[in-house]
Structures are given as C-alpha cells and as structure tokens.
Amino acid sequence: LEQLPSLGKTPEERKRTITRGGLTIQTTLNPKMEAAAREELIRRVPIGTVANGVDIGAATAVIEPGTGHVLAIAQNTSYAVNVKRGTSGKTSVNWAVDEQYGASRGFAFGSTAKMFAVAQALRSGMPINSFVFAKPASPAHAALFTRSDFQSSDSCKLGAGQTWAVHNDEGTRVGQISLTDATAFSVNTAFAGLVAKLGACPVRDLMTQMGLHQGSGKPIESFPAAITLGANPTSPLTLASGYATIASGGTYCVPSPVIAITTSE
C-alpha cells in the first residue's frame, strides 16, 4: 500500500489491486520463526499483562543479514480492527514496524544503543582491548556530565549550562575498565564518557548509516542521552536491521517483507 506504485497510483487503487487483483504475493516471512517468536513473547509477557496499572507490551522482529528479508514479526496481542490496546490485549497497531506502516512510534531502545558506540570506537582506531573511564555512579547516585566533557567541535554535545545525570544499574565497576567489560556489563557512565570522547555526532551519523532512525522516520535526535543510552523510540524492525548490518559484515540492507508479486499472467 505504501511503497509500490506499480500496483496503482494511489493507496486506494493499490488496495483494490491487492484485495481483488488475483495477485500471488511471495513474502520472506518464515512461519516457523513467526510461531516461535510469538510463543516466546507471550511466554515472557502474556497477552493482557498489566503492571502498576500500565499495559505491558512486547514486540520483536527478525531480519536476515545481507538481504534485509523480514523473517518474522510478532507481538503479545491479539489482532482487532479499530480497537486500541487495553487490558484485553487487543490492538490493530503493529508495534514491530515504523509508524508509517504500523501506527506505532516504537520503544526507547535503551542500552542496545551501545553497540553503535562500540562500532564507532573500532572505526576510529580504538583497539578492542582499549580502556575507558567510568565515572562512579549507582542506581541511587548519578554521575554528572557537562558540556566540557565533550569535544568542543561536537555539535551534539550538551548545551551551555546543561548537565546530564547518568546512573549505573550497579556501582561496582568504576574508574578505568576495559571496553569489553564496559560492554559486557553495560556500564552507562563508561559509555557516556566514550561517546563524549568519540563525539556524539559521529556516533549518531554511524547509527544513521546503519539504518537506525526513530519510529516516526526522523533521525535519532542530536543529544547525548538519545545517542548513548537510546532515549528515543525506534521500532524493533529498524533496530534489528541496524544490528544485521554488523552481522552482514557492514552492509546495510533495507528491510523488505516481499520477494515477488505476480499476476495470473
């Protein structure tokens, strides 16, 4: 409906072609993967889960590296036309894809952002056995970062007078730690310092080159929390395609769920 003008000049024409044109549509979706993904999501987050009065949703997407083929998408809901998600766990929104295709702006991508900082560190020449400095912080006490922590030429740095409070899930890994340990234990302050050293904008630029963007389709915003700790929302499909760029050896492939569409002729 969105992308194939060969099926019609307008979405309405394309819808008629799809629903009444006798087409054979060959998708990339793998039914076994689809079933396994949905089963695992519902096992972890059952349909209709509510915590502290808030509905809890989960969605996933599987991308084939090197082709961009969408192998599976799933979420912990039942499908219902024109029904917003409630405690019944029914929705017509597809959380796994961008807003343009599924009406969802996605989820904050959190510490999955750190992979892009590691990639930029290696691209910049840092050896895998490099050390980074982790300011002391814990769940209760934050480490403060200021504009002066960032490169002066970095236009994605904090504004004048701004401070950025960064917490760690645990406070035992501080000071000089290896890049490997910083990644393995997801030390937020180590990555805040790493991104400040690398330049937040170069990390954001690499994210864009690897296919990452917000669920709205806009680029990841140019402030450190979004670039370093994934404060922006993105779709699971978009994030999977960014990670697939690593798995494919550096080639980004646009996600596609369709191999071929043919008529009876």
Side-chain angles (χ1 to χ4, degrees):
L1 287 174
E2 295 286 345
Q3 292 184 330
L4 296 178
S6 58
L7 297 179
K9 293 181 179 180
T10 67
E12 291 75 19
E13 289 182 15
R14 294 194 282 273
K15 186 173 183 179
R16 283 197 298 271
T17 304
I18 290 170
T19 57
R20 302 180 64 184
L23 304 178
T24 298
I25 302 174
Q26 182 182 357
T27 77
T28 61
L29 297 170
N30 181 315
K32 289 184 178 179
M33 283 192 185
E34 286 268 314
R38 180 169 168 79
E39 180 182 345
E40 182 66 11
L41 279 178
I42 293 174
R43 185 182 72 80
R44 291 171 177 264
V45 189
I47 293 175
T49 296
V50 178
N52 299 320
V54 178
D55 293 324
I56 305 299
T60 189
V62 182
I63 293 281
E64 183 177 64
T67 66
H69 290 171
V70 181
L71 301 181
I73 54 175
Q75 61 191 50
N76 69 332
T77 62
S78 297
Y79 180 76
V81 178
N82 297 327
V83 174
K84 292 184 178 180
R85 178 174 168 80
T87 55
S88 63
K90 295 182 179 180
T91 184
S92 59
V93 176
N94 184 347
W95 299 333
V97 299
D98 284 351
E99 183 180 23
Q100 179 182 6
Y101 306 115
S104 169
R105 293 200 171 185
F107 304 85
F109 60 108
S111 286
T112 59
K114 292 170 181 169
M115 182 274 288
F116 299 95
V118 171
Q120 179 60 23
L122 298 178
R123 285 181 84 215
S124 72
M126 285 181 63
I128 194 68
N129 59 352
S130 297
F131 279 75
V132 293
F133 183 77
K135 290 186 178 183
S138 68
H141 300 285
L144 293 182
F145 288 80
T146 66
R147 186 182 179 93
S148 63
D149 288 305
F150 291 79
Q151 297 180 13
S152 58
S153 59
D154 185 5
S155 59
C156 298
K157 61 182 178 292
L158 295 167
Q162 287 184 338
T163 58
W164 179 28
V166 180
H167 295 263
N168 286 330
D169 287 338
E170 49 83 17
T172 60
R173 290 176 176 82
V174 299
Q176 294 289 341
I177 61 174
S178 69
L179 180 59
T180 303
D181 274 358
T183 306
F185 296 101
S186 195
V187 183
N188 291 343
T189 56
F191 274 88
L194 175 64
V195 170
K197 177 182 177 181
L198 296 171
C201 274
V203 176
R204 199 273 301 266
D205 292 344
L206 180 61
M207 287 177 164
T208 302
Q209 292 169 29
M210 292 174 66
L212 192 70
H213 53 261
Q214 296 185 67
S216 64
K218 296 179 180 179
I220 300 301
E221 292 181 286
S222 59
F223 63 90
I227 297 166
T228 310
L229 301 177
N232 279 164
T234 190
S235 72
L237 184 71
T238 296
L239 185 61
S241 69
Y243 268 68
T245 304
I246 294 290
S248 70
T251 300
Y252 169 69
C253 299
V254 177
S256 174
V258 175
I259 295 174
I261 301 176
T262 56
T263 66
S264 58
E265 291 82 31

